[in-house]
Amino acid sequence: MKINEFDIPYDIDIEKILEEITNRNAKKVLIQLPDGLKPYASKILEYLSLKDVLIVFSTDPCYGSCYIADYIGKEYNFDLLIHIGHDKFVEKEEIPTVYITANYLGSIEELAEKATKFLYERGFKKIGLVTNYQHLKNIEAFSRIINSHGLEVIIDEKSKGLVLGCKIDGALRISEKVDVVLYLGGGDFHALGIAMAIDKPLFIADPYRNEIRDIEKLKKRVIAQRWWAIHNAKNVKNFGIVLVSRRGQFNEKIALDLKYKLEEKGKKVTLLISDNVNWDEISSFTYIDVFIVTGCPRISIDNRDNFKKPILNIEEAYELIKVLKN
Ligand code: SF4
């Protein structure tokens, strides 16, 4: 069954979902969607048109498959979890889980032409191309259009050009070989992570806005905020190390290592655990001066403005430890 792009602008494999539900005789199914797909939940239900199967959509954040809701599925006796939009991330799920990709159905031709003109006018000849799950199917076609105008496009073979917010090895491998990196996808989330790790220019080719944009200003602001947070953390006493109870983000070993190293430097540490780290939840620990989040590294980078005290990720916490005096 083909999705009509006027109903849902993503190619979701409805046949596979139906097949998995039927073959497993699942009667109670939990579906997880990224935020961009949540507005289409009722359309997905229409496409599934299942009788005698209870389908429940999770409202929890779902920025990656590290946000897997299998433990909720187990707790409340769901037979099957359908996780749409990302690939497998955790080693083993608590209940039967199926990962379904959601490829963007919109056209990318005009955007690829625009990107070619943009890059050509700026004198770039070798282009490194990366993308996220939603546009992975389009990366080859996008590359061919740029290629056809005489620019060379390099896509990392191992990752096939795929990057996650916390997994950008494919971008790192090609960055040395190219003049510029082009990220095909919406938002700044993935592109910012790459831009902060490479010393080549990076631009976003955004299919939703049909525009090519620079990320340099944002990168500079985020790097300045990062060093401000590390600098402010140097002279304070009380640290809160936050474990994140999301299955793919629980890093107890690292949290304990950080605790040990900070205590060695004379700091006081309180260990905390949270399902969804936000300022409202952690601000009640009023005596804590700095929070270190050991889950998704992007919580501190993308949300620093929402926290009223310095917040660091694992990498930043180790940077801090390097500059702390004994
Ligand atoms: S960047 Fe964060 S949300 Fe995305 S996959 Fe990594 S840990 Fe999960």
Side-chain angles (χ1 to χ4, degrees), residues 26-307:
K27 295 289 173 221
K28 197 172 160 189
V29 177
L30 177 60
I31 299 188
Q32 273 192 292
L33 300 167
D35 284 354
L37 276 172
K38 283 175 182 154
Y40 306 103
S42 82
K43 282 284 169 206
I44 293 173
L45 276 183
E46 278 174 33
Y47 273 92
L48 289 173
S49 77
L50 281 164
K51 288 196 186 90
D52 306 326
V53 178
L54 179 70
I55 300 214
V56 179
F57 288 92
S58 164
T59 65
D60 287 346
C62 182
Y63 305 122
S65 36
C66 57
Y67 278 83
I68 183 119
D70 57 337
Y71 60 100
I72 295 174
K74 188 177 178 197
E75 179 79 20
Y76 299 106
N77 301 318
F78 283 87
D79 302 315
L80 180 65
L81 169 65
I82 308 273
H83 184 105
I84 300 181
H86 311 103
D87 218 341
K88 190 175 168 76
F89 190 91
V90 298
E91 248 171 53
K92 193 175 177 311
E93 299 85 3
E94 296 287 328
I95 62 165
T97 301
V98 177
Y99 296 89
I100 301 286
T101 50
N103 300 297
Y104 181 62
L105 283 172
S107 153
I108 44 96
E109 281 80 17
E110 194 190 330
L111 183 67
E113 295 290 350
K114 221 179 236 187
T116 309
K117 187 167 179 284
F118 181 96
L119 297 167
Y120 180 80
E121 283 173 358
R122 284 159 183 78
F124 297 119
K125 293 193 172 67
K126 277 192 176 181
I127 323 297
L129 189 59
V130 291
T131 189
N132 65 3
Y133 280 124
Q134 281 69 46
H135 304 279
L136 198 57
K137 265 203 170 163
N138 288 331
I139 195 170
E140 289 297 338
F142 196 85
S143 155
R144 271 197 300 278
I145 294 174
I146 301 179
N147 258 149
S148 70
H149 293 288
L151 300 183
E152 185 184 349
V153 179
I154 299 182
I155 298 173
D156 175 59
E157 267 181 37
K158 196 169 169 209
S159 63
K160 299 186 172 60
L162 175 69
V163 290
L164 308 183
C166 59
K167 198 166 184 304
I168 56 166
D169 50 310
L172 296 180
R173 275 192 293 273
I174 53 165
S175 73
E176 287 310 309
K177 304 175 197 155
V178 298
D179 305 325
V180 62
V181 174
L182 187 64
Y183 168 75
L184 171 63
D188 296 331
F189 181 79
H190 295 85
L192 181 61
I194 303 165
M196 288 179 64
I198 62 173
D199 56 7
K200 293 284 168 68
L202 182 141
F203 297 96
I204 299 175
D206 186 332
Y208 306 99
R209 296 195 194 168
N210 195 23
E211 69 176 17
I212 313 300
R213 65 173 181 274
D214 192 357
I215 201 168
E216 196 54 28
K217 221 165 131 190
L218 177 62
K219 172 181 164 178
K220 280 192 180 141
R221 183 165 72 86
V222 169
I223 289 177
Q225 285 178 329
R226 161 179 278 187
W227 289 113
W228 175 87
I230 292 175
H231 176 77
N232 277 290
K234 273 199 303 197
N235 303 317
V236 301
K237 186 81 183 161
N238 284 299
F239 285 74
I241 297 184
V242 190
L243 286 151
V244 179
S245 56
R246 295 273 160 189
R247 291 250 294 111
Q249 296 188 28
F250 187 73
N251 287 316
E252 186 174 346
K253 216 169 144 195
I254 292 175
L256 294 181
D257 184 54
L258 286 170
K259 179 177 183 298
Y260 169 76
K261 291 193 163 105
L262 284 168
E263 285 173 347
E264 244 190 355
K265 303 273 184 182
K267 305 294 184 189
K268 283 184 86 173
V269 175
T270 306
L271 284 176
L272 307 167
I273 187 161
S274 171
D275 181 45
N276 185 24
V277 186
N278 60 60
W279 177 245
D280 285 345
E281 277 199 21
I282 59 177
S283 58
S284 307
F285 295 87
T286 48
Y287 65 93
I288 292 179
D289 306 303
V290 171
F291 293 92
I292 296 172
V293 179
T294 57
C296 174
R298 303 302 300 272
I299 294 171
S300 74
I301 296 175
D302 298 273
N303 299 317
R304 217 168 324 243
D305 288 345
N306 300 333
F307 291 85

